[in-house]
Amino acid sequence: MIMKIRSGILKVTNLSIIGDLNFPPNLKLCVQNVKIVRPSDNFQGNFLKKQMRTASLVVDLQKALTADSFPLESLEIDSTLALVSSAEAKTVITTRSPQGIQTSDIHRIYIKYCTIDWLAVMDLIRNWQNSDPEIGRHYSMETESVDLVMNYISVVRQSPGAQINKRLASGISPYGFTFPINQEKVLNVFLDRFKKENGMEEYVIHFKIDPVS
């Protein structure tokens, strides 16, 4: 009811969306962080339907938000990276397939419940070696499968230029890997492990551009 009588520009730090966007045409939002939340009913189990809903909301966001909202500080969506353009957010959190991550120029990407094949891991390393991304670029891929994340690190070990780096050791691996980029930057690849609130262990492989130490 309040929204129906609002007009002009409304500044919002954090915006979480559960239902559809239905703002009056004379109201615009200036937002920093957007999260598209999964509904709590059985609808969340239908991935295709959920993906179509998220795609529609992303389009609607472009209409509802002011131009200076973009790039957002962060955008979290309940679908895949393929629905996000590189210009929409500095930090993106998505789920499942990281399709397009190899060539994306988003500064920070975190993929939950990630499924990615070994070729995509190798392509990401190769692309970053050639494209010289900025210091601080950081992509992370989370999975519940320790076997899967160890397969990823096996591919990293075989990638051209890999150098074992024991300073990148973690509770799951005695070392990580460093790839030279140029005289100022390196690509560090390392593993992480943590427990969620439900006690489930999650494993993450990180790709990060750091200054030469």
Side-chain angles (χ1 to χ4, degrees):
M1 184 64 68
I2 294 176
M3 282 293 187
K4 290 182 180 180
I5 62 174
R6 293 298 296 265
S7 62
I9 297 175
L10 180 63
K11 292 189 176 182
V12 180
T13 300
N14 303 305
L15 176 65
S16 293
I17 304 170
I18 298 178
D20 297 329
L21 286 176
N22 187 20
F23 298 140
N26 55 345
L27 176 66
K28 292 286 186 179
L29 298 182
C30 181
V31 176
Q32 293 183 26
N33 306 289
V34 174
K35 181 177 182 180
I36 298 177
V37 184
R38 292 187 301 179
S40 58
D41 57 21
N42 291 332
F43 174 67
Q44 64 182 346
N46 187 328
F47 178 74
L48 180 58
K49 188 175 181 181
K50 182 179 66 175
Q51 187 176 39
M52 292 174 62
R53 165 188 172 267
T54 303
S56 176
L57 283 175
V58 169
V59 171
D60 290 343
L61 273 175
Q62 298 281 356
K63 302 173 183 177
L65 303 188
T66 60
D68 56 357
S69 295
F70 298 99
L72 297 165
E73 287 299 317
S74 68
L75 172 63
E76 181 172 353
I77 65 173
D78 58 346
S79 192
T80 65
L81 183 65
L83 296 182
V84 182
S85 77
S86 60
E88 285 177 343
K90 299 174 184 177
T91 296
V92 170
I93 302 171
T94 67
T95 62
R96 295 169 66 106
S97 170
Q99 179 183 353
I101 197 171
Q102 301 95 317
T103 56
S104 172
D105 61 0
I106 296 171
H107 186 73
R108 179 75 173 97
I109 296 176
Y110 192 99
I111 310 291
K112 297 179 179 179
Y113 319 115
C114 181
T115 56
I116 185 174
D117 60 48
W118 64 270
L119 283 174
V121 172
M122 190 171 288
D123 285 347
L124 177 57
I125 294 172
R126 184 184 302 114
N127 180 270
W128 279 14
Q129 286 174 312
N130 295 331
S131 64
D132 187 17
E134 75 281 2
I135 290 175
R137 180 82 66 88
H138 189 175
Y139 292 176
S140 304
M141 303 175 204
E142 170 195 310
T143 175
E144 296 178 354
S145 170
V146 64
D147 292 334
L148 186 58
V149 80
M150 293 309 294
N151 284 341
Y152 293 162
I153 210 68
S154 177
V155 171
V156 173
R157 183 201 308 268
Q158 300 173 49
S159 297
Q163 301 173 1
I164 290 178
N165 188 338
K166 293 186 177 180
R167 289 181 297 177
L168 300 175
S170 66
I172 187 176
S173 175
Y175 51 79
F177 295 91
T178 293
F179 295 83
I181 300 293
N182 55 34
Q183 293 182 341
E184 299 178 348
K185 306 173 189 176
V186 295
L187 165 60
N188 286 321
V189 183
F190 54 99
L191 296 180
D192 194 10
R193 176 176 58 188
F194 65 95
K195 278 191 176 181
K196 289 194 170 182
E197 293 181 357
N198 61 6
M200 182 72 70
E201 285 197 333
E202 299 288 337
Y203 307 92
V204 185
I205 181 168
H206 298 275
F207 301 80
K208 188 180 179 190
I209 301 296
D210 288 317
V212 173
S213 57

